[in-house]
Amino acid sequence: MPKPIRWQLDFLPIKLDIETKSVLKKLPKAHAALAELKGIASTIPNQNILINTLGLQEAKDSSEIENIITTHDELYKTELNLITSLDSKEVQNYIEAMKVGFSLVTDSQLLTNNTILKIQERLEKNKAGYRKVPGTVLKNASTGEVVYEPPQDYDRIIELMKNLEIFINDNSIIDLDPLVKMAIIHLQFESIHPFYDGNGRTGRIINILYLINQGLLNLPILYLSNYIIKNKSIYYELLQSVRTENRWEEWLIYMIESVEKTSKDTIALIKEIKIQMSNMKILLRNNYKFYSQDLLNNLFKHPYSKIEFVVRDLGVSRITAANYLNQLSEDGILRKEKLGKSNYYINEPLFQVLKNR
């Protein structure tokens, strides 16, 4: 029996038929779940609610994979500029980077290296760009053993990234299902490992932007990081197994299943958010003359809101915004908290939905 061809990092497309029967059998359910997610997302009246709330969740999860740990409470306080711990700021950088990438891809209808560079720049708050100094290796976190050495030569990194850009944007190069192609792109990017820092988080942002670029979603709301956290050792094992044993089938099935499972989880989460929005809408509309859709949107875009957010979103004075929030907190609809000299207001039902995800 002939030995399998050893994988090596080279230009795409790969020269193997990797859409096996097992891979193809997994695709219909994943696509169906993606389509359902795309549909239910369109039923939220203000889609910035999903971009912000789910983006916060993803930023927390993706950063946790890199051992950047923050709680939901710290995360939402950072959005209010009430605390500035290093880890929570790193998570906020991720949110900013994702929004920058989404805006650029939406405007250009392309996912270019310029966009990838800007994502990483926003993540790391520097302009270091691609690696120029050799010496980068990937190690086993437990043993310290070197498991993979990415390309060290700057010119080679540039060549591989240019090739990746063409592969991402030109669907005529090879006829592959978009989810299969997404998994290839992810492995290729992580194997090039073009940056000194932020490769993992940048790669996970690329996943969602590619699905948007392909029209499978309209919003950046499908995030695989939570699935990866729950299957972290398998993720790294399969990623490396392609490099060492050419085990493409297992890697592709893992990524396709992650799309299906995450889509279903996100659908359930959006349904929960819709229920809480509907309950709050009925409550506010029936009991408060100052009810407006903009106020409802504000309270669901920010699990922790503050006077400045209401002033900005509703176009009212600071005194009016404070009156709205204080009245709702006095009536037990919001929970008012104080940190230093600042007050903030918690949408407790939304907080619990996101916290328990």
Side-chain angles (χ1 to χ4, degrees):
M1 185 175 179
K3 291 184 178 181
I5 302 169
R6 183 177 174 83
W7 178 88
Q8 59 180 358
L9 180 60
D10 205 344
F11 296 130
L12 297 172
I14 58 175
K15 299 171 177 62
L16 294 171
D17 182 7
I18 57 175
E19 286 189 330
T20 63
K21 287 183 179 180
S22 296
V23 168
L24 293 173
K25 283 175 66 175
K26 290 288 183 181
L27 289 168
K29 287 184 178 180
H31 278 285
L34 261 181
E36 185 179 354
L37 175 58
K38 183 178 181 180
I40 195 170
S42 68
T43 66
I44 297 289
N46 184 326
Q47 297 189 336
N48 282 324
I49 291 169
L50 295 183
I51 292 173
N52 203 61
T53 55
L54 300 188
L56 286 165
Q57 188 76 31
E58 159 62 8
K60 178 181 181 297
D61 291 342
S62 185
S63 299
E64 187 173 332
I65 295 171
E66 312 300 326
N67 297 315
I68 299 167
I69 308 298
T70 187
T71 65
H72 285 83
D73 181 64
E74 289 172 338
L75 177 58
Y76 302 145
K77 284 177 181 173
T78 305
E79 190 189 19
L80 299 172
N81 293 318
L82 294 180
I83 64 170
T84 55
S85 74
L86 181 60
D87 280 0
S88 61
K89 287 301 292 181
E90 289 267 17
V91 175
Q92 283 293 326
N93 292 346
Y94 186 97
I95 297 167
E96 291 179 23
M98 182 271 292
K99 290 181 177 179
V100 165
F102 176 55
S103 176
L104 290 170
V105 167
T106 301
D107 289 345
S108 69
Q109 301 298 303
L110 296 169
L111 177 48
T112 64
N113 282 336
N114 184 53
T115 294
I116 292 170
L117 283 162
K118 288 183 176 178
I119 289 168
Q120 193 272 345
E121 176 185 325
R122 190 62 63 96
L123 271 174
E124 297 298 323
K125 298 297 185 183
N126 64 48
K127 294 180 180 289
Y130 298 136
R131 288 184 290 111
K132 300 180 181 67
V133 179
T136 295
V137 294
L138 306 186
K139 297 182 179 180
N140 183 301
S142 301
T143 66
E145 175 192 2
V146 174
V147 295
Y148 175 68
E149 182 177 305
Q152 302 294 305
D153 180 69
Y154 175 73
D155 290 338
R156 180 62 173 170
I157 292 170
I158 294 292
E159 290 174 351
L160 287 163
M161 287 301 295
K162 285 181 179 178
N163 169 256
L164 180 61
E165 178 183 68
I166 293 169
F167 184 77
I168 289 171
N169 293 288
D170 188 348
N171 288 329
S172 69
I173 290 176
I174 190 169
D175 183 21
L176 290 172
D177 183 276
L179 299 186
V180 171
K181 196 170 173 182
M182 182 197 76
I184 296 171
I185 291 165
H186 187 71
L187 187 138
Q188 184 79 353
F189 176 81
E190 298 301 334
S191 298
I192 298 169
H193 206 79
F195 302 117
Y196 295 107
D197 293 298
N199 293 282
R201 285 169 290 159
T202 301
R204 288 186 286 279
I205 292 174
I206 290 171
N207 285 339
I208 181 63
L209 296 182
Y210 178 72
L211 295 179
I212 291 169
N213 178 251
Q214 293 299 302
L216 296 176
L217 287 173
N218 294 327
L219 300 172
I221 56 172
L222 179 83
Y223 299 112
L224 305 182
S225 297
N226 187 261
Y227 184 90
I228 291 172
I229 287 173
K230 294 173 181 175
N231 304 274
K232 190 173 178 179
S233 61
I234 299 172
Y235 167 79
Y236 284 115
E237 177 189 331
L238 292 177
L239 194 67
Q240 184 63 12
S241 75
V242 177
R243 298 171 182 150
T244 57
E245 303 170 57
N246 224 28
R247 287 168 55 190
W248 278 103
E249 183 176 82
E250 292 94 329
W251 167 251
L252 295 177
I253 287 173
Y254 173 88
M255 290 296 284
I256 294 165
E257 287 179 343
S258 76
V259 170
E260 179 188 354
K261 179 67 165 59
T262 305
S263 295
K264 290 178 177 178
D265 288 347
T266 309
I267 290 164
L269 179 58
I270 292 173
K271 286 180 178 178
E272 283 291 323
I273 292 172
K274 286 185 68 176
I275 289 169
Q276 297 301 334
M277 283 191 75
S278 178
N279 292 342
M280 178 81 78
K281 181 173 185 175
I282 292 168
L283 188 60
L284 296 184
R285 189 171 56 190
N286 290 344
N287 294 283
Y288 299 93
K289 290 183 179 179
F290 57 75
Y291 161 76
S292 70
Q293 185 67 45
D294 286 339
L295 176 60
L296 182 69
N297 291 343
N298 174 276
L299 298 178
F300 278 82
K301 188 165 66 172
H302 308 288
Y304 289 13
S305 194
K306 63 179 181 177
I307 291 168
E308 290 80 0
F309 288 173
V310 174
V311 169
R312 180 195 64 203
D313 293 351
L314 275 68
V316 297
S317 69
R318 183 176 178 83
I319 292 174
T320 298
N323 287 338
Y324 290 174
L325 292 171
N326 286 325
Q327 183 64 60
L328 293 175
S329 67
E330 287 169 13
D331 294 345
I333 294 169
L334 301 177
R335 176 156 60 89
K336 182 179 179 178
E337 297 287 347
K338 191 174 186 66
L339 187 65
K341 296 182 179 179
S342 300
N343 295 321
Y344 60 98
Y345 303 81
I346 301 174
N347 181 344
E348 190 68 35
L350 176 62
F351 176 78
Q352 291 301 326
V353 166
L354 296 172
K355 180 184 176 183
N356 294 330
R357 175 175 179 255

